[in-house]
Amino acid sequence: MSSPNASPTIVGNLLHEAYKQFHEVDDGTVATYIPELGKADPGHFGICVMSVDGDCYESGDCDVEFTIQSISKPFVYAMALTDHGRDMVYSRIGVEPSGDAFNSIVLDQKTNRPFNAMVNAGAIAASSLIQGVNVEERAEAQMAVFSAAAGRRLRLDQSVYRSETETGNRNRAIAWLMMNFGMIEGNVDEILSLYFQQCSILVTARDLAVMGATLANMGTNPLTGENVFEIGCIQDVLSVMFTCGMYDYSGEWAFRVGIPAKSGVAGGILGVVNRQLGIGAYSPKLDSRGNSVRGVKALTYLSEELGLHAFNFMNHGSHFLKNVLDRDGGGAVTPGV
Ligand code: DON
């Protein structure tokens, strides 16, 4: 097992090995509840790693575009935290894993809040907090932030956006339930338009790796040097990704893979290794929980081989206490004295 400080050839070779091992896995099904998503090529499979130093390693179909879907949620959550602050956002969106499916029409009965920003309910509440004088300005604000995180101008898949709008009645029910409890305010159709648009932004596995590296790099894009997110919100975003990002697989993901992650129903997975790297994976066929089958296998393999798990014994110990002691001139206290 090698450490996260593995040499580039090791990382590159591991990506090719992951591709070789999993590209013929045929389990799962392509999502069709949003009809346009059913047109994806089930054979596509790409894996990309981007370090916070801007080093990129990839294997397979890393240039194939697909809609970001729920992987948009951490980034809109970061926008809401940046614009409104932690306390206000927390009053509208919880931080608890729901244990339910991503599209459950359910709020936390104790608070009437959506459980967290990674399920549809919490994401729609986060969309309602995007600032702007009209829906066009608000939509451009999210497109600009996503593009800055990816390091290139992204664009909307109009066909998927139209398909989501025409079939998104479950999300409409979620939105009106939250309106009833005051968890969202304003025009429901406009809020849902923003949510459907954020989900319909086209990305590649490489874009996801860069966006993940931007989060890992405390909000600054390692390729462009642009600061995209306020550093104070990164801890909150990565914490909620770690506990909620893979829905009702989140517990097993934390146990087996151990990195903040977010999946999307078009077949993308974003992984973040704090202060080290972002991982982007894409393959359209999903398991019963809505996570990419090949993507889950690939990130699990990389975590095991590179020792990426947050609590892996290979991770060098935190220097937090040492930093504090150094700053305060030592002063260790002998217990009981
Ligand atoms: O709202 C929806 O159902 C989709 N636009 C997003 C769901 C999604 O990506 C779930 N992730 N696995």
Side-chain angles (χ1 to χ4, degrees):
M1 184 187 302
S2 48
S3 78
N5 304 316
S7 75
T9 49
I10 289 178
V11 177
N13 291 342
L14 281 174
L15 289 182
H16 294 315
E17 181 60 29
Y19 181 86
K20 195 166 69 173
Q21 282 196 31
F22 307 122
H23 79 285
E24 291 182 339
V25 171
D26 202 27
D27 304 333
T29 53
V30 175
T32 55
Y33 75 99
I34 300 169
E36 197 64 20
L37 295 182
K39 298 179 180 175
D41 178 344
H44 280 150
F45 181 36
I47 323 157
C48 183
V49 167
M50 168 67 67
S51 78
V52 293
D53 299 320
D55 299 324
C56 183
Y57 315 94
E58 59 188 49
S59 186
D61 305 305
C62 293
D63 289 315
V64 172
E65 286 189 315
F66 54 94
T67 51
I68 196 170
Q69 295 300 330
S70 282
I71 301 169
S72 62
K73 295 171 176 175
F75 299 99
V76 172
Y77 187 45
M79 290 178 70
L81 290 166
T82 300
D83 291 347
H84 298 274
R86 182 189 237 213
D87 292 344
M88 186 275 171
V89 174
Y90 184 75
S91 71
R92 298 286 183 87
I93 306 169
V95 293
E96 279 303 318
S98 69
D100 296 321
F102 62 84
N103 58 357
S104 298
I105 306 177
V106 65
L107 301 177
D108 184 335
Q109 288 184 347
K110 295 190 293 293
T111 63
N112 292 323
R113 289 181 308 184
F115 278 95
N116 61 72
M118 301 298 117
V119 293
N120 286 12
I124 292 167
S127 301
S128 76
L129 297 174
I130 292 177
Q131 294 179 323
V133 297
N134 55 39
V135 67
E136 291 76 17
E137 188 176 292
R138 300 168 79 182
E140 173 52 30
Q142 68 185 17
M143 182 65 82
V145 165
F146 282 48
S147 298
R152 72 179 182 100
R153 181 68 182 178
L154 301 177
R155 61 194 175 92
L156 196 70
D157 184 320
Q158 294 289 352
S159 300
V160 170
Y161 170 60
R162 188 165 46 252
S163 190
E164 286 231 43
T165 303
E166 289 167 357
T167 59
N169 294 320
R170 192 175 178 90
N171 285 321
R172 288 186 177 90
I174 292 169
W176 282 107
L177 179 66
M178 290 195 289
M179 178 66 81
N180 177 66
F181 288 109
M183 292 303 142
I184 63 174
E185 296 169 346
N187 181 301
V188 168
D189 288 337
E190 183 170 306
I191 293 167
L192 284 169
S193 169
L194 287 169
Y195 172 71
F196 293 145
Q197 287 189 61
Q198 78 183 56
C199 288
S200 303
I201 292 173
L202 286 163
V203 292
T204 64
R206 185 181 305 117
D207 291 328
L208 291 183
V210 178
M211 295 172 85
T214 299
L215 293 176
N217 198 34
M218 296 297 108
T220 296
N221 184 316
L223 289 184
T224 65
E226 182 179 359
N227 180 247
V228 185
F229 301 109
E230 200 263 324
I231 191 170
C233 76
I234 297 294
Q235 174 181 302
D236 293 344
V237 172
L238 295 183
S239 302
V240 176
M241 285 174 72
F242 191 85
T243 56
C244 309
M246 301 299 277
Y247 307 119
D248 41 341
Y249 185 66
S250 293
E252 194 149 348
W253 178 271
F255 179 76
R256 295 187 186 283
V257 186
I259 66 171
K262 185 71 206 78
S263 59
V265 80
I269 294 184
L270 165 73
V272 180
V273 181
N274 194 25
R275 296 191 183 258
Q276 298 204 39
L277 53 90
I279 306 174
Y282 170 58
S283 195
K285 295 185 92 170
L286 308 176
D287 61 25
S288 59
R289 294 170 172 116
N291 301 320
S292 169
V293 172
R294 292 176 185 167
V296 167
K297 289 179 182 294
L299 269 84
T300 304
Y301 174 78
L302 290 175
S303 177
E304 290 168 351
E305 292 302 314
L306 285 171
L308 302 180
H309 195 295
F311 311 119
N312 180 282
F313 66 91
M314 288 286 284
N315 289 345
H316 301 297
S318 159
H319 300 291
F320 174 76
L321 183 56
K322 180 178 180 305
N323 295 342
V324 170
L325 292 176
D326 288 352
R327 183 191 65 203
D328 297 346
V333 177
T334 306
V337 175

